[in-house]
Amino acid sequence: MRITRVLSTALLALGLAAGPAAADSSPSPSATDDGKAPTRAGTSFRTATEIEQGQQATASGSTGDYLYWSFPADAGQRPTVKATVKLPATHGTQNWQIDVYDGLRRRQSCQYGAATRTAAEGASSVELACVLRTVRAWSEPWANDPLPGTYYVRLTVVDLGASDLGQPVSAEVRVDSKDIGGAAAVDGSLAEPLVPGVAVKSQAKEDDAKTAVLSSLEPDDGWSSGWWSDRWVWTAIGGMLAALAGIGGYALTRGSGRPSRVPSNV
């Protein structure tokens, strides 16, 4: 009976602790469009239009233009960038591409997704997608791992005929993220997120310093919001199960506690 109670306690603790861990691995809630989504795109990194995750931004342009957007991504998130380009009624074969860059303007590779697609002659639209690697809280200086900060999306056509150059197009871009949780946790963190201009300061008045930040967006609950992860939960569960296993083993092997009787020699 005692062993049964020990095992029941262990299973109950495992179920209670696994609840928050399962919640951490679910996709993060997306922001809803409230009519304030951007309707234009920048033409360079410095003029990139800021968008929140979950917003569907739109823009109009011409074939041959470079369209730029930027969005924030924090540690533990796996961003997915999707773009839809609506093409004119008459056009030749075109190849469209989306590229994603981090705050240091390093191009980030896609884990999967069609980042480059061909629009056949006369096609009404083309859809692109890029699923990035999980953003890490810290990385070696020589590595190209995604780090917390601002990310840039660049949309452009990479191959088209001369007769199609300058034709009007419209684009829709949306970024969503999945919260990976403790599976992507590392021992370390950046002192500051990779946000352009975060270290640039200007002295507006003698005693009033202003920080000039080129990118003003950040996650809803601030940077490094993912310091808590399910790795802490599973570590606690492991310690608890180890302690219960020790108690159970002791209960099985300790014996009756009475000294054995040795027969006396007659």
Side-chain angles (χ1 to χ4, degrees):
M1 293 297 294
R2 182 178 299 172
I3 298 175
T4 303
R5 289 197 300 269
V6 170
L7 293 177
S8 300
T9 304
L11 292 175
L12 178 60
L14 181 62
L16 292 176
D24 287 344
S25 61
S26 61
S28 58
S30 298
T32 56
D33 291 333
D34 55 1
K36 298 180 181 179
T39 57
R40 62 180 182 84
T43 56
S44 67
F45 286 103
R46 292 184 62 86
T47 61
T49 298
E50 296 179 342
I51 60 174
E52 295 276 6
Q53 291 193 25
Q55 281 186 325
Q56 182 162 305
T58 59
S60 298
S62 302
T63 51
D65 291 344
Y66 286 91
L67 305 179
Y68 287 82
W69 295 267
S70 66
F71 67 93
D74 205 0
Q77 293 183 337
R78 180 183 292 168
T80 297
V81 181
K82 294 182 179 180
T84 300
V85 183
K86 297 181 180 180
L87 305 171
T90 304
H91 64 84
T93 301
Q94 302 178 1
N95 291 328
W96 286 83
Q97 179 173 306
I98 53 172
D99 298 297
V100 183
Y101 300 83
D102 65 8
L104 298 179
R105 300 186 185 179
R106 302 176 302 180
R107 185 178 182 276
Q108 294 295 319
S109 59
C110 303
Q111 264 193 325
Y112 48 88
T116 302
R117 297 197 68 176
T118 300
E121 182 178 353
S124 60
S125 64
V126 59
E127 296 183 355
L128 307 156
C130 175
V131 180
L132 297 176
R133 294 173 295 164
T134 303
V135 178
R136 296 165 57 90
W138 179 86
S139 178
E140 295 288 348
W142 46 262
N144 194 37
D145 296 322
L147 294 170
T150 300
Y151 282 77
Y152 297 93
V153 179
R154 184 177 70 183
L155 174 65
T156 189
V157 61
V158 294
D159 185 21
L160 80 165
S163 60
D164 291 333
L165 188 64
Q167 287 193 2
V169 294
S170 60
E172 297 177 355
V173 172
R174 182 183 177 95
V175 180
D176 294 290
S177 285
K178 180 179 180 181
D179 189 1
I180 303 302
V186 295
D187 295 327
S189 61
L190 297 180
E192 295 286 349
L194 300 180
V195 177
V198 73
V200 180
K201 293 185 177 180
S202 60
Q203 192 75 21
K205 294 182 181 179
E206 185 175 355
D207 297 326
D208 183 21
K210 279 184 148 184
T211 302
V213 180
L214 300 181
S215 180
S216 60
L217 293 182
E218 64 178 33
D220 293 337
D221 44 1
W223 292 108
S224 300
S225 55
W227 68 272
W228 168 263
S229 69
D230 54 7
R231 185 174 67 164
W232 297 93
V233 176
W234 292 112
T235 301
I237 292 174
M240 186 181 300
L241 291 180
L244 292 175
I247 295 173
Y250 175 74
L252 287 172
T253 59
R254 69 175 181 170
S256 62
R258 296 180 179 179
S260 59
R261 180 176 295 178
V262 180
S264 59
N265 294 329
V266 179

